[in-house]
Amino acid sequence: MNRRMLCITLFVAVLPCMAKEFSAPVIKLNSSPLNQSEMVWSATKRFSLSCDGPADIIWKKMFGRHQKSVNQNVFTVKNPTADHTGTYRCSYKNQTDLYSEIHIYVKDSEKAFTTPQTTQIVEKEGLNCLLDCLVTNPESTEFSLKMENGSAVPSEMNYTADPKCGILIQNLQPSYEGGYVCTVKVKGVQKMSDIFQITVLKKQHPPLLSLPADQFVRIVGETLQIPCHLINQGHSYNITWSSAEKGI
C-alpha cells in the first residue's frame, strides 16, 4: 500500500470518531422524561429534576438561594413554594451551549409573583434594568408595570414583560426614579408584586471649556491673563494649566 492510499485509509477510519457528537442532555421530572417545555406544579408537592447525558453535567446557577438543593445532577425540592417558579437548565460542563431546560410554575393562591432577590435597584443612566417578578400562575393575564401608587409609568419608558423572566426596563433615565410594581390579573382580580425602588445614577459629562481666543501675542515681560470658563458645570473639577514646553 503506497503512502497516499495509507493516508486515505487512516482519514476514513477517523471520520466516525470526528462525526460523534453529543445530543442534548435529558431532563427527567420525578424519573419521567419530559416532552414539554413547561410544567405547572402545586405548592408543597415534592418534585425532583434529574439531568442525564454522556458527559459531566452542570445546572445553570439561576437557582440562587435554592442552590443547596442540587446534588450532582439531581435537583430536589421537598416543599416547593411559589419562589421555586423558574427556568431550570442543565448542560454539559465543557459544552454549555448544548443544554435542556424546563420552566416550572409553582402555583400559590397567595402569591402571584416570586419574591425578588432585591427590591432596591441602583443602576447607571442608559443601561437596562430587570425586575425579577416572575409570574407563578400561567393563567395570569395583563402582565404589566405600574407606579407603586397604581398610576401609569412615564410615557417615554420602554419595557418588555415576560412572565418567565420578569420586566425589563430599557435605557434607564433619571426621570424613571421611583417605586414600581409588577401587576397581573388572576381570575379577574389584580395582584401586585413587591415594590421595586429604582435609583438611576446620572452620567457625569465633563464640562466644556471656553477660551476667548486660541492664540495671544505679548511682549517679553508683559503680563498675560487668559480667562478659562466652565460651561455646563455639573460637578466639582480642578482646573490646571500646562504648556507644551513646561508645566505652569
Side-chain angles (χ1 to χ4, degrees):
M1 181 182 296
N2 60 37
R3 179 176 296 180
R4 183 178 179 182
M5 289 299 297
L6 177 61
C7 291
I8 293 175
T9 302
L10 289 174
F11 178 75
V12 173
V14 170
L15 278 178
C17 296
M18 295 175 60
K20 184 179 179 181
E21 295 182 357
F22 291 155
S23 58
V26 177
I27 295 180
K28 295 180 181 180
L29 175 63
N30 293 342
S31 301
S32 299
L34 294 169
N35 55 6
Q36 57 213 82
S37 61
E38 61 183 45
M39 292 283 293
V40 181
W41 208 255
S42 299
T44 72
K45 183 180 178 182
R46 180 186 183 279
F47 73 82
S48 178
L49 294 173
S50 63
C51 184
D52 300 305
D56 291 341
I57 294 293
I58 59 171
W59 287 97
K60 181 182 177 182
K61 289 187 177 181
M62 63 155 299
F63 304 122
R65 56 200 153 192
H66 308 309
Q67 192 66 26
K68 292 181 180 180
S69 300
V70 179
N71 182 13
Q72 294 182 344
N73 66 330
V74 180
F75 180 76
T76 302
V77 181
K78 296 180 180 179
N79 295 297
T81 67
D83 288 333
H84 285 95
T85 293
T87 301
Y88 298 82
R89 174 187 293 186
C90 69
S91 65
Y92 295 115
K93 186 175 182 179
N94 296 322
Q95 194 173 357
T96 55
D97 59 337
L98 191 57
Y99 62 87
S100 294
E101 64 182 18
I102 177 72
H103 187 85
I104 296 181
Y105 295 94
V106 182
K107 294 176 64 175
D108 186 331
S109 59
E110 301 298 323
K111 291 195 64 175
F113 297 97
T114 55
T115 302
Q117 294 286 330
T118 179
T119 56
Q120 300 297 317
I121 310 296
V122 180
E123 193 54 271
K124 294 181 180 179
E125 177 184 352
L127 298 182
N128 297 338
C129 169
L130 179 64
L131 307 182
D132 59 333
C133 49
L134 281 64
V135 176
T136 63
N137 186 341
E139 298 173 1
S140 302
T141 60
E142 301 182 29
F143 184 28
S144 63
L145 182 66
K146 293 184 179 181
M147 304 301 296
E148 63 178 313
N149 61 4
S151 61
V153 300
S155 58
E156 68 276 15
M157 176 185 285
N158 291 319
Y159 72 86
T160 56
D162 185 339
K164 296 181 180 180
C165 299
I167 289 182
L168 180 69
I169 302 175
Q170 302 167 1
N171 190 21
L172 284 172
Q173 298 299 312
S175 59
Y176 295 174
E177 285 197 339
Y180 293 82
V181 291
C182 306
T183 66
V184 292
K185 282 190 176 180
V186 181
K187 296 181 180 179
V189 179
Q190 188 176 74
K191 303 284 187 178
M192 295 188 299
S193 70
D194 293 341
I195 298 174
F196 293 90
Q197 192 66 39
I198 297 178
T199 300
V200 181
L201 302 177
K202 296 180 182 180
K203 291 182 179 178
Q204 296 188 6
H205 301 284
L208 299 178
L209 298 178
S210 173
L211 297 175
D214 59 3
Q215 62 181 1
F216 299 86
V217 177
R218 291 291 186 274
I219 299 174
V220 174
E222 185 179 357
T223 300
L224 172 63
Q225 291 184 341
I226 306 176
C228 179
H229 299 289
L230 290 178
I231 303 175
N232 298 330
Q233 182 180 0
H235 303 276
S236 298
Y237 291 91
N238 293 322
I239 298 177
T240 59
W241 289 91
S242 63
S243 168
E245 299 296 329
K246 60 181 179 179
I248 298 177

